[in-house]
Amino acid sequence: MRLEAITWERLGDLLADRLLELKTADGGPWPRVALDGAPAARAGDLAERVAGALRIRGRPSLVVGTDGFLLPASVRLEHGHRDEESYYSGWYDTGALWREVFGPLEPGGSGRVLPDLRDPVTDRATRSPYTELPPGGVLLLHGPLLLHHWFPFDLSVHLLLSPGALRRRTPEADHWTLPAFERYERETDPVRTADVLVRADDPRHPAWRG
């Protein structure tokens, strides 16, 4: 696997330039981009960086995190607070993501996206207002385990951590989630399936292939 050393700033610029030319698979006016990675990889930081680079280039975007679409705690923790299977396939409200995020960005859609549904800390509805993404605006969706939900992404970016780095950078209280990421690597193989790969073992010195 050959990767090229890069800075985060340069990576944000290169991704933004690529998105300016990106054509959607369904012919719609809203490119949809995945920034996929374990929480320790901080995919949200890269999403915000790309959004900033797009803004400078005159292209609107909307950053949405899947942590704003967690299912209610009573549902996702039904089998306990450390159930790997639930974390892997039952923590996020994928139905709401389809309905409130992807549906409005289909051809002929309204472009009115709900940026979040539930506060991950309070477990209460956020009641956030809808955000209208104008035609040509880019959806930047970040979160873990994104590529096994069959979401209609037009470009996918996977932030890779080696097993050792993932363990070091994940809080010990969350080590129970690590087997879910091992399973994700086996079953979804994001290293091969993602359009862009970013190795983020050293947060100061990323490398990429794209």
Side-chain angles (χ1 to χ4, degrees), residues 35-135:
L35 294 111
D36 170 62
R42 303 182 66 88
D45 290 354
L46 180 57
E48 293 289 353
R49 188 177 292 278
V50 174
L54 285 170
R55 190 179 310 115
I56 292 171
R57 290 158 173 77
R59 180 66 65 87
S61 65
L62 178 64
V63 176
V64 175
T66 58
D67 60 354
F69 286 86
L70 286 168
L71 286 165
S74 60
V75 176
R76 69 178 188 273
L77 303 179
E78 180 181 4
H79 300 289
H81 287 256
R82 297 190 172 193
D83 185 75
E84 175 200 335
E85 178 62 35
S86 294
Y87 182 74
Y88 187 73
S89 59
W91 265 42
Y92 296 94
D93 193 340
T94 55
L97 283 165
W98 279 103
R99 183 179 65 251
E100 304 289 2
V101 178
F102 289 103
L105 303 182
E106 293 176 349
S110 66
R112 294 179 70 247
V113 174
L114 189 65
D116 51 56
L117 185 65
R118 186 172 299 277
D119 187 306
V121 176
T122 66
D123 195 39
R124 296 177 181 271
T126 57
R127 305 190 186 280
S128 296
Y130 284 86
T131 297
E132 187 160 347
L133 192 61

Side-chain angles (χ1 to χ4, degrees), residues 26 36 39 58 72 120 143 147 149 186 195:
D26 59 11
D36 170 62
L147 303 185
H149 293 299
R186 291 194 310 271
D195 300 301

